[in-house]
Amino acid sequence: MQWLGLTAVGARGQDVLLAESKADDELHRKWDAEWAFTGISTFAHLKHVKCLSNRDVPFDIGIIGAPFDTAVTYRPGARFGPRAIRQASARQIPYRSFNHRRGLNPYISPLTILDCGDIPVAPFDNALALRQMSEAFLELGSRTPALVDGNNPRPKLLTLGGDHSVALPALRALHKVHGGPVAVLHFDAHLDTWNPGKYPSAWESPQSDFNHGSMFWIASNEGLILNGSSAHAGLRTRLSGDSWDDYVDDDRQGFLRISSDDIDDLGTKGIIDAIIARIGLEMPTYLSIDIDVIDPGLCPGTGTPEPGGWTSRELIRIIRGLEGLNVVGADIVEVAPAYDGTGEQTALTAAQLAFEILTSWVGRGMTKADNGQGMKTNSKGSDSGLRRDEL
């Protein structure tokens, strides 16, 4: 009788647990859903995890903010770029994020995408900030992804800047993770391969070499960039002095230059073809998008605006056409919301570009899985609870 009593007590306990579970499910069903305009502002309403201090939640793609803007040569304010881009992504919700051009929804896929928060970058000391960002990118880029793919054994990072100097620590990390230099595909109005000595100052300082116009010069000299396999696109900058010396220096660093005007003669397809011919489809590539590649009449919220740029539609079309590239990391930088319009058009464009990059990454990963280049789930696993339900 005692045994039967214990069994009865156990059964009643199970009934209680089941009832509580059903009650919890009902609470989640009623209150977890969100509209585009509700909830805490994360990118695309993704689950926010402080990935830098939490190794127990694996991811395949991490969105990381780098709110750093103390290496600019003109208007500051890009430290608020990550926050603005996240806010502008509010309408990218899982129930309405099916990308018709690719036939998939990047937020509903086998891959785990997390908003990894921001790097807590020091605003007073650029040397310390550079060290912080370098260590952060290396820490996240060295993790084991949620889905282990033999061809892509590490997670990918999409950085929301921040000024363009954040590309240097990202490239330093990629050099260590991939064991060598990578190609750079650089969309920008400016070269950003300037010798820092070109900036006029009688006050020499090694730290001033680290700025948003010289980070690729530093990266090239450190051997982080594949010479002869990289490209600029959308250029329309003025040059230094009264000669072609800036181009000579750029040639030495091995970049192909595609000007903003070239789109009139080549069209978007011609730009796409020129980039693919230069970089190829297998070379590990870092994609770096300075929002000032777009005309300031359309994207005014940036620090060094240059008239005569591409339209947002043209750039989005080009990015879509480059899905075949082996992009191992990316950034979207120089969004400075203080100079944006009331409609947040610059931040909205940046958020859409991020959506296209994520779509391409998910599409490439799923294609490899479908082709038998199988993926295995990390033992720590991907949890569907990492995504919030949306209305």
Side-chain angles (χ1 to χ4, degrees):
M1 291 299 295
Q2 186 177 10
W3 180 82
L4 291 175
L6 288 175
T7 302
V9 170
R12 285 197 297 273
Q14 290 179 354
D15 290 342
V16 170
L17 290 175
L18 182 60
E20 289 178 348
S21 177
K22 288 182 177 180
D24 288 344
D25 289 343
E26 179 64 8
L27 289 175
H28 287 298
R29 187 186 70 82
K30 291 171 65 176
W31 305 117
D32 272 359
E34 293 181 357
W35 294 98
F37 52 84
T38 64
I40 303 300
S41 185
T42 66
F43 188 88
H45 297 257
L46 294 169
K47 177 72 175 182
H48 172 228
V49 175
K50 287 192 173 183
C51 301
L52 283 167
S53 56
N54 189 343
R55 293 184 177 181
D56 295 330
V57 182
F59 58 92
D60 300 294
I61 299 171
I63 298 167
I64 183 74
F68 174 78
D69 68 357
T70 51
V72 299
T73 56
Y74 194 45
R75 303 192 302 202
R79 68 179 62 184
F80 298 105
R83 180 180 296 176
I85 297 170
R86 287 185 173 105
Q87 179 173 310
S89 73
R91 293 183 63 246
Q92 295 182 32
I93 47 183
Y95 93 94
R96 189 166 288 171
S97 288
F98 183 82
N99 195 325
H100 62 87
R101 64 94 178 171
R102 188 57 178 81
L104 63 85
N105 184 330
Y107 307 126
I108 304 175
S109 81
L111 302 184
T112 299
I113 307 175
L114 294 180
D115 187 329
C116 288
D118 290 345
I119 304 169
V121 184
F124 310 118
D125 185 334
N126 281 10
L128 175 57
L130 177 56
R131 175 186 163 195
Q132 289 175 309
M133 290 187 286
S134 298
E135 291 189 15
F137 289 132
L138 182 59
E139 170 66 32
L140 296 179
S142 300
R143 301 271 178 88
T144 300
L147 288 176
V148 182
D149 179 354
N151 293 282
N152 292 293
R154 300 299 178 195
K156 292 181 171 66
L157 298 177
L158 173 57
T159 304
L160 307 179
D163 73 49
H164 213 154
S165 64
V166 305
L168 176 60
L171 287 169
R172 285 177 173 174
L174 285 173
H175 186 271
K176 292 180 179 179
V177 170
H178 290 272
V182 298
V184 170
L185 174 54
H186 174 221
F187 288 92
D188 202 321
H190 311 93
L191 290 169
D192 291 354
T193 54
W194 279 293
N195 183 324
K198 294 285 184 73
Y199 291 104
S201 176
W203 304 87
E204 294 185 4
S205 165
Q207 186 52 51
S208 64
D209 289 355
F210 173 56
N211 63 75
H212 75 158
S214 299
M215 69 285 174
F216 290 138
W217 181 89
I218 297 173
S220 293
N221 281 278
E222 292 183 0
L224 309 180
I225 299 176
L226 281 168
N227 192 311
S229 297
S230 298
H232 306 293
L235 296 173
R236 55 191 185 279
T237 185
R238 293 172 294 281
L239 304 180
S240 306
D242 59 357
S243 69
W244 304 98
D245 288 350
D246 287 349
Y247 282 173
V248 172
D249 204 21
D250 191 67
D251 288 339
R252 182 186 63 79
Q253 296 173 58
F255 278 84
L256 169 71
R257 289 184 297 277
I258 300 172
S259 75
S260 182
D261 290 345
D262 286 334
I263 204 166
D264 296 331
D265 300 318
L266 302 176
T268 55
K269 185 178 186 306
I271 301 295
I272 293 166
D273 292 343
I275 291 170
I276 292 175
R278 180 68 167 188
I279 297 177
L281 300 179
E282 298 302 324
M283 193 75 68
T285 301
Y286 184 73
L287 171 61
S288 188
I289 302 176
D290 187 326
I291 204 68
D292 72 23
V293 71
I294 297 175
D295 191 88
L298 298 171
C299 286
T302 191
T304 49
E306 301 284 356
W310 289 342
T311 67
S312 52
R313 181 180 62 82
E314 288 167 338
L315 181 58
I316 289 169
R317 177 66 185 88
I318 291 168
I319 295 298
R320 288 174 172 176
L322 295 170
E323 181 174 90
L325 296 182
N326 182 20
V327 176
V328 295
D331 66 46
I332 302 171
V333 297
E334 299 287 354
V335 173
Y339 316 110
D340 209 356
T342 55
E344 303 174 298
Q345 58 265 44
T346 308
L348 284 168
T349 300
Q352 180 65 29
L353 289 167
F355 174 70
E356 299 297 342
I357 293 169
L358 295 173
T359 296
S360 294
W361 274 346
V362 171
R364 185 179 174 91
M366 290 176 65
T367 298
K368 286 188 174 184
D370 291 342
N371 288 339
Q373 302 178 33
M375 295 181 172
K376 296 181 179 180
T377 303
N378 187 330
S379 59
K380 294 178 182 177
S382 147
D383 185 351
S384 60
L386 295 178
R387 295 185 179 84
R388 303 196 301 236
D389 293 331
E390 321 293 340
L391 293 170

